[in-house]
Amino acid sequence: MTTRYPFRATVVAVAVMVGCWLLWRYPALPGSDDALYLARGVTHFDVLSFAPNFPGYPGLIWLARFFAPWSQTPFQALMAVSLVLTLTSAILAGAIYRRLTGDEEGAFFLSLLLLLDPLWSEVALSGLSDGPGLCLLLAAWLAALYRRPALAGALWGLALCVRPSYGVLALVLAGAILHRASARRFVIPAALVGLVALLFVWSANGVAYFLEGWRFFIGHFTIWGDAVGERGQGVSWFSAFSRAGVSGPLWGLMLISGLIATPSLYRRRPAMRPWLLLTVVAVLWCALAQNPRHLRHLIPVIALGWGLFISAGFQSIRQRERRAILTLLVTIQGIHYASVSLKGSTLPPIQQAIRWLGHHSSPPAQLVSHHAPDLLRQQLPGYGIIDGYYSGDAELAMRDGALRLTSTRPHPETSVNLCTHFPARLPGDTPLWLIRRHKACH
């Protein structure tokens, strides 16, 4: 006990320090339309009115409403849920790894690598469902490993209510749990949570909820979701890794080394087979069905991938050498985290743009943006906001001298005037440029 306690206490202390740093440095402001829609849902749930958007995330709304009495704004409640559960997910990943392998030191390094990844902090600040959904899935897995199938089922069901797009991962995890646990004791609590969620959304929207779901599904895979068959030029996971700074090469090293060593891991450590299978499924799901413009979709891959790397990547070297390599990786991660969090902006790029436009440009004016048009409409009521997805309207407005927010750096040789640049707050944010065609910005 005396040898294990310092590892666990250190991980918890690091998580608390990261959480305190995030609360102190970064204001609780939405950085996307999705965050705006979720904040609306905290006060009034209605999927048809984008409060929030489909699938409604009822579990996340419940959790945010729990925090709402102690929050000044609905988004503060969302951010509280996201921050606490995202940071907790790093601790749970280490706890599961320790339970499966008995490797206390490896679990320690796994949790530190996640907590000190700038993307983890960006997801924690986002107020979105990625971090909480992963946390609850990991909590369900850990409960099953401690032979608590009823608790595992309830947490599994809540995880799907918080982050339905983790459904593929959740089904694989359920298979691993049911392989060892009582099906009845797992399934009944999960079904009850799902039934409560169904009644919750039905009471708000009825059958129209399912019609909206079909529209959303078709739109995600054919229009706005950037799934693999519909990605535009330059939209890929390779380019996404390049936007992550130092973390990108570390993720690449982790995934390549871990996957190369997996055949040996499969033979020597049967307890890690569910972890291996979940890693492969997470990689395929991200590669085929998730939007590379949003690095936050990678967090299941990163959490599982680092565990695979630590377990499989050091089987032929001594303990002292493994410790030295992992200490070096944690040090690099920590220096990168300190660098980007100290010198970056404290606001999301869209909030930087809102502040700049409020002080430097005189409405009435038109603004074209693919990014958070509804958030811009709410916070810049004096502007005519044109959604960039409507290319005809956007082109006409640009010809008439409208400003444009874009995530593509303008080429210096074009006839576009660069007004200003809004850098990413942390890796995971999309930097923005404000431009104007032919005319001066002011």
Side-chain angles (χ1 to χ4, degrees), residues 62-100:
W62 299 337
L63 294 172
R65 287 181 176 179
F66 175 80
F67 280 90
W70 300 281
S71 306
Q72 294 180 344
T73 66
F75 182 75
Q76 280 189 355
L78 278 171
M79 198 181 91
V81 174
S82 181
L83 189 146
V84 171
L85 295 189
T86 301
L87 297 182
T88 301
S89 70
I91 300 173
L92 292 177
I96 293 168
Y97 180 87
R98 181 177 62 246
R99 185 72 175 175
L100 290 173

Side-chain angles (χ1 to χ4, degrees), residues 323-387:
R323 185 179 301 135
I325 294 172
L326 290 175
T327 300
L328 176 62
L329 289 174
V330 168
T331 302
I332 293 172
Q333 191 89 292
I335 293 172
H336 176 51
Y337 182 87
S339 173
V340 297
S341 64
L342 284 172
K343 71 180 182 181
S345 171
T346 61
L347 297 176
I350 195 69
Q351 291 290 347
Q352 297 173 47
I354 289 168
R355 180 170 294 186
W356 192 96
L357 289 164
H359 286 87
H360 292 85
S361 188
S362 300
Q366 288 187 313
L367 174 66
V368 177
S369 178
H370 279 89
H371 303 274
D374 284 342
L375 183 62
L376 290 166
R377 290 186 184 107
Q378 177 179 290
Q379 299 197 6
L380 294 172
Y383 282 81
I385 307 298
I386 299 168
D387 192 334

Side-chain angles (χ1 to χ4, degrees), residues 1-220:
M1 182 64 68
T2 56
T3 59
R4 294 181 178 182
Y5 179 77
F7 282 136
R8 300 179 186 181
T10 301
V11 167
V12 172
V14 171
V16 171
M17 287 189 292
V18 170
C20 291
W21 169 252
L22 295 178
L23 289 172
W24 177 79
R25 180 160 175 79
Y26 299 100
L29 293 171
S32 65
D33 275 350
D34 288 342
L36 172 67
Y37 302 150
L38 283 165
R40 290 175 181 171
V42 175
T43 53
H44 174 69
F45 185 88
D46 182 4
V47 172
L48 299 184
S49 300
F50 282 74
N53 57 302
F54 187 86
Y57 311 96
L60 186 60
I61 297 299
W62 299 337
L63 294 172
R65 287 181 176 179
F66 175 80
F67 280 90
W70 300 281
S71 306
Q72 294 180 344
T73 66
F75 182 75
Q76 280 189 355
L78 278 171
M79 198 181 91
V81 174
S82 181
L83 189 146
V84 171
L85 295 189
T86 301
L87 297 182
T88 301
S89 70
I91 300 173
L92 292 177
I96 293 168
Y97 180 87
R98 181 177 62 246
R99 185 72 175 175
L100 290 173
T101 66
D103 180 7
E104 184 83 17
E105 187 176 274
F108 169 72
F109 281 111
L110 170 58
S111 292
L112 287 187
L113 283 166
L114 298 180
L115 288 169
L116 296 177
D117 191 327
L119 181 60
W120 233 252
S121 289
E122 176 56 35
V123 171
L125 293 168
S126 70
L128 301 178
S129 63
D130 304 77
L134 178 62
C135 178
L136 290 166
L137 274 184
L138 294 176
W141 191 1
L142 188 61
L145 292 175
Y146 278 95
R147 299 181 182 178
R148 300 288 188 272
L151 177 60
L155 290 168
W156 185 89
L158 183 57
L160 279 181
C161 294
V162 168
R163 181 71 179 171
S165 63
Y166 283 167
V168 175
L169 275 178
L171 288 174
V172 175
L173 178 59
I177 292 173
L178 292 173
H179 183 67
R180 297 179 175 272
S182 163
R184 180 177 60 85
R185 294 182 64 193
F186 176 84
V187 170
I188 290 176
L192 287 175
V193 174
L195 179 61
V196 172
L198 181 61
L199 292 174
F200 180 74
V201 298
W202 183 272
S203 67
N205 296 126
V207 71
Y209 174 83
F210 300 97
L211 299 176
E212 172 65 11
W214 178 250
R215 184 198 71 84
F216 180 89
F217 178 82
I218 296 300
H220 175 80

